[in-house]
Amino acid sequence: MKTLFVSYRVTDLDRSLDFYTALGYAELGRVDPGDGSHLVILAFPGEPAASLELVHRPAGGRVDVGSGFDHLAIQVDALAATLQRLTDAGLEPGPVQYPGGPHGPKTSWLTDPDGYRIELGQWPPRHPDGITAADFS
């Protein structure tokens, strides 16, 4: 088994698509079930498959993120360049943080239009791609 994607319910599909495409996602496809709802599947360029689904159900009203959700983590190659690109696109990423100390990963946070928190992270040089069991040994 494997995780296919994360799915977020969104209040305003156009506003959310603007946000996530500015973040770097590209639309792979969409499904319109016919009841006024829309499902939009997204992935980052170069990803082999979908990684995010935006679900818009207007009849469901405003989205309440709730207290159980924490955040979506996204790995970036160059955090400073990513933050500049996002700022130029009108998004508001937070300051760079060093949660593992000065030689560990660099992170920054931003929030989407519905209040979902996103952590952007850059690994230190020579760290393997992604998170593996080696990160916990």
Side-chain angles (χ1 to χ4, degrees), residues 23-114:
L23 188 54
Y25 281 97
E27 184 175 326
L28 290 181
R30 61 175 65 208
V31 177
D32 297 323
D35 62 355
S37 297
H38 303 280
L39 312 175
V40 180
I41 308 297
L42 306 172
F44 283 115
E47 280 187 319
S51 59
L52 181 64
E53 175 187 49
L54 301 179
V55 177
H56 182 235
R57 290 190 182 109
R62 176 135 181 85
V63 171
D64 177 13
V65 174
S67 63
F69 174 78
D70 194 76
H71 70 282
L72 171 66
I74 297 174
Q75 180 179 322
V76 301
D77 292 328
L79 186 59
T82 299
L83 297 180
Q84 186 61 56
R85 182 178 58 75
L86 296 176
T87 300
D88 291 347
L91 303 185
E92 299 177 9
V96 174
Q97 299 175 353
Y98 300 86
H103 302 292
K106 299 176 191 177
T107 63
S108 176
W109 293 84
L110 73 152
T111 304
D112 91 345
D114 285 296

